[in-house]
Amino acid sequence: MNVITIRPRPATVPQAVTRAQALIALYEAGMLEAVEAAVAAHPYAPVRLWWNNALNFERTNPYLTALAVEVGLTDENVDRLFVSASTRI
């Protein structure tokens, strides 16, 4: 009898998640307050406008990338947040 080992596929990082999904994932990761504080203090008004009005968050958005660095998230951290967010709602 052959034994088949099934390994889980690595999670595919979604290219976009909804605003609600992103906020829930940040909240559950304990990062929502830090991100919102960084946005509120951001000197570049378009970043604040984008954060407050975006309906979706795209993984490759330059504002998202900049904010991630500002709050100390690595690319891997952001990928994990996107994967987590994609499972919400």
Side-chain angles (χ1 to χ4, degrees):
M1 179 175 175
N2 291 335
V3 176
I4 298 173
T5 303
I6 300 174
R7 296 183 183 153
R9 281 184 19 198
T12 301
V13 178
Q15 293 304 300
V17 295
T18 68
R19 176 177 189 76
Q21 289 174 311
L23 295 177
I24 291 168
L26 286 167
Y27 173 80
E28 290 177 347
M31 295 290 307
L32 184 57
E33 285 186 28
V35 171
E36 288 185 336
V39 169
H42 205 284
Y44 189 54
V47 170
R48 296 189 308 271
L49 290 167
W50 165 76
W51 176 262
N52 292 318
N53 296 288
L55 299 177
N56 296 296
F57 291 100
E58 289 108 19
R59 177 60 185 92
T60 58
N61 183 292
Y63 296 155
L64 186 141
T65 303
L67 281 172
V69 170
E70 290 173 27
V71 297
L73 294 172
T74 65
D75 282 342
E76 185 176 285
N77 297 142
V78 176
D79 286 346
R80 284 189 201 147
L81 282 166
F82 265 73
V83 169
S84 175
S86 71
T87 67
R88 304 299 179 253
I89 306 178

